[in-house]
Amino acid sequence: MPVPIPRQRAIPAAEGGQAHALPTSPAPAHPPVPEPVPASVEPVRTSPSRDTDQQTTDQQPSGPGLSLLVIEDDPVGSLSVPQMLDSAGKPIRVRTARNLTEAERLLTDDVHCILLDLTLAVPAASPEEEEDELATLKHVLRLAPRHAVLALTASGDTEGGAEAVRVGAQDYLFRDELDGRLLSRAIRYAVERKRADAAQRQLTESRLRAQENARLERGLLPTPLLDGSPLRFAARYRPGRSRALLGGDFYDTVRTPDGSVHVMIGDVCGHGPDEAALGVELRIAWRTLTFAGLCGDELLGTLQKVLEHERADDEIFATLCTVDIAPDGRRAGLCLAGHPAPLIARDGRLAELLPYENNGPALGLLPNARWPRRQVELGGKWSLMLYTDGLIEGRIGQGNQRLGQDGMVEMLRRQIAAGLRGDELLEAAVNEVRELNGGDLTDDVAVLLLDRDR
């Protein structure tokens, strides 16, 4: 408990946002340089005074310091707020409000801490609030969620002060112990604790977002189901730099009981958790419909119905590429719903894009749309690469030119000629696209590769 300060002549305090000042003597002919105010200066009454306002204005510190808003109804003037200094030796500015309505007007961004009299009544209080001893505190916490709050309680009311802290105040003080050293320390502590609480809350929110992203990633980018297939699978995913959340890129690969291998890649327009969640739903729906025996136009038409029912906005759409590979691995059916055509590298031939004429629109754009299934010959040995548009929309150098599909084909031909295959090929492709862009890509990149080497 701090040592009580001897009472001297009380000086009226400033009101309405002005900082308190010390009493001054008549100015000498050559006024001395003002010295810092010690923390043990005599308490100052919170009643208004125009003279003190003028003195305060003349003695404002050169830089901004801490500011305190006192909210209390003190008709007899018994509450004294002492003169205080912050940790930098600057006076702590004080504003006073007699009720919550006035407090709301004075509660500007430059207020750092609130000293609240818990006995203050809530205006137009409901019967429940009248019975709640902390209704005023709860009202202020709703009014000023980003400000530090000190609860002012009656002398010895430790239980009430502790309950105020539990509800949301940073600390509590007894009404008759407001000496300068104690109160200035309490203000600094409350402000720093509020900042620490805010930082901890942001850290917790970041961790929760990271966990949610991990769950979304597992849903968007699953483990392929290729047991019994001679095909080799590789995939890469790299999020764009414009956000911390995953986008709507998704893919999947499964082998059905008849020996066919089905592969899909898609992209929901937009970025964020809603788009990522919709991508997860479409991927799971695709896997379910594929195991049920659907493919081609019938499968994509059903997926469009899923998207239409699950999307948050009628303008949201999704592009999709599906390939179903025959059990012998030499033929495949291709369907494109507004998505870039896959690239195939056959043994002894240059890599090229699969045909993309007569493809259908993206899912969700046109009702009753159709998606033709095109039969393509794969050959004996081949590599089939599916990708999202993030791979081809990166810039080349400092200009506005994009890599595009032609640039991607040339890049992959060169890398394949250098002997790259599988994971190494995908890693080299994604890294080179990033280097050509001069840094991380704006959009997400998802790319997968199926190889048949016999």
Side-chain angles (χ1 to χ4, degrees):
M1 188 67 64
V3 178
I5 301 174
R7 291 191 175 274
Q8 300 175 8
R9 182 172 61 88
I11 304 298
E15 185 178 40
Q18 301 296 333
H20 293 289
L22 290 175
T24 57
S25 303
H30 301 284
V33 177
E35 297 180 355
V37 181
S40 58
V41 171
E42 167 61 22
V44 181
R45 298 289 184 185
T46 58
S47 56
S49 169
R50 296 181 62 182
D51 293 341
T52 307
D53 289 347
Q54 181 61 47
Q55 294 172 8
T56 299
T57 304
D58 295 341
Q59 298 185 30
Q60 284 279 358
S62 58
L66 291 177
S67 180
L68 175 71
L69 175 61
V70 180
I71 309 176
E72 58 88 24
D73 184 11
D74 185 27
V76 298
S78 60
L79 177 64
S80 295
V81 176
Q83 191 79 23
M84 299 165 292
L85 299 178
D86 62 17
S87 58
K90 298 177 181 178
I92 297 177
R93 297 168 295 165
V94 179
R95 300 178 181 179
T96 60
R98 300 301 184 190
N99 51 60
L100 296 180
T101 302
E102 185 178 349
E104 186 172 0
R105 178 176 60 83
L106 296 176
L107 192 60
T108 53
D109 291 338
D110 60 341
V111 172
H112 300 91
C113 186
I114 298 171
L115 179 62
L116 173 65
D117 185 356
L118 295 182
T119 63
L120 192 67
V122 177
S126 63
E128 293 79 8
E129 289 176 326
E130 290 179 353
E131 295 179 1
D132 187 354
E133 296 180 354
L134 296 177
T136 302
L137 173 61
K138 295 175 182 177
H139 184 90
V140 169
L141 292 174
R142 290 192 298 269
L143 186 67
R146 297 189 301 272
H147 292 74
V149 177
L150 291 171
L152 191 62
T153 69
S155 179
D157 188 11
T158 304
E159 182 177 349
E163 183 67 13
V165 172
R166 187 192 66 79
V167 168
Q170 274 60 60
D171 204 348
Y172 68 92
L173 297 168
F174 296 142
R175 188 180 182 89
D176 59 351
E177 296 178 357
L178 294 184
D179 66 85
R181 190 181 302 276
L182 175 63
L183 183 54
S184 60
R185 184 173 66 232
I187 293 171
R188 294 196 299 268
Y189 168 79
V191 171
E192 292 304 320
R193 182 175 179 183
K194 187 67 177 181
R195 290 172 179 168
D197 290 344
Q200 182 61 40
R201 183 172 62 254
Q202 292 174 356
L203 178 60
T204 301
E205 291 173 353
S206 297
R207 288 174 177 170
L208 291 175
R209 283 196 298 269
Q211 293 172 2
E212 182 64 21
N213 286 349
R215 287 193 292 270
L216 288 172
E217 182 175 357
R218 288 194 296 270
L220 290 167
L221 320 174
T223 301
L225 299 179
L226 289 176
D227 291 344
S229 172
L231 302 182
R232 294 183 302 171
F233 174 87
R236 286 291 183 276
Y237 172 81
R238 182 169 293 182
R241 66 167 179 260
S242 61
R243 69 210 159 271
L245 294 172
L246 290 173
D249 292 7
F250 57 97
Y251 61 75
D252 203 354
T253 306
V254 299
R255 182 174 185 264
T256 50
D258 66 352
S260 300
V261 172
H262 303 258
V263 57
M264 171 271 291
I265 194 166
D267 184 3
V268 177
C269 70
H271 306 285
D274 291 340
E275 288 75 11
L278 182 56
V280 173
E281 292 180 81
L282 292 175
R283 185 200 64 77
I284 294 174
W286 176 87
R287 176 176 282 198
T288 303
L289 295 171
T290 299
F291 279 126
L294 276 67
C295 69
D297 182 73
E298 186 179 12
L299 186 149
L300 290 173
T302 307
L303 283 180
Q304 172 156 287
K305 293 179 181 178
V306 173
L307 181 145
E308 290 172 344
H309 287 292
E310 297 297 330
R311 62 186 175 183
D313 188 286
D314 289 343
E315 296 184 356
I316 293 178
F317 62 90
T319 66
L320 202 69
C321 170
T322 67
V323 179
D324 54 279
I325 302 169
D328 63 4
R330 303 185 67 88
R331 301 177 310 282
L334 169 66
C335 285
L336 295 175
H339 200 87
L343 177 141
I344 186 168
R346 299 179 178 93
D347 189 32
R349 298 169 57 180
L350 291 176
E352 60 182 352
L353 297 175
L354 287 179
Y356 52 86
E357 297 84 2
N358 299 322
N359 60 336
L363 302 181
L365 288 184
L366 299 175
N368 304 317
R370 303 299 300 270
W371 294 272
R373 179 177 176 273
R374 185 181 186 119
Q375 191 77 16
V376 295
E377 294 295 327
L378 301 178
K381 294 182 180 181
W382 48 263
S383 295
L384 184 66
M385 190 182 82
L386 284 70
Y387 52 92
T388 57
D389 56 7
L391 186 68
I392 59 177
E393 290 187 348
R395 299 182 185 276
I396 301 177
Q398 300 297 322
N400 294 324
Q401 185 179 357
R402 306 283 182 172
L403 175 64
Q405 287 181 294
D406 292 340
M408 179 195 69
V409 171
E410 293 180 5
M411 177 188 71
L412 287 167
R413 285 176 177 176
R414 174 169 35 82
Q415 293 172 343
I416 291 172
L420 298 179
R421 297 292 186 276
D423 287 304
E424 291 183 350
L425 176 62
L426 295 188
E427 189 69 21
V430 173
N431 287 340
E432 183 167 339
V433 168
R434 180 183 179 278
E435 291 172 2
L436 291 172
N437 189 63
D440 290 337
L441 298 163
T442 302
D443 200 3
D444 299 330
V445 174
V447 56
L448 60 88
L449 189 69
L450 285 175
D451 289 316
R452 185 176 187 268
D453 55 9
R454 59 183 177 85

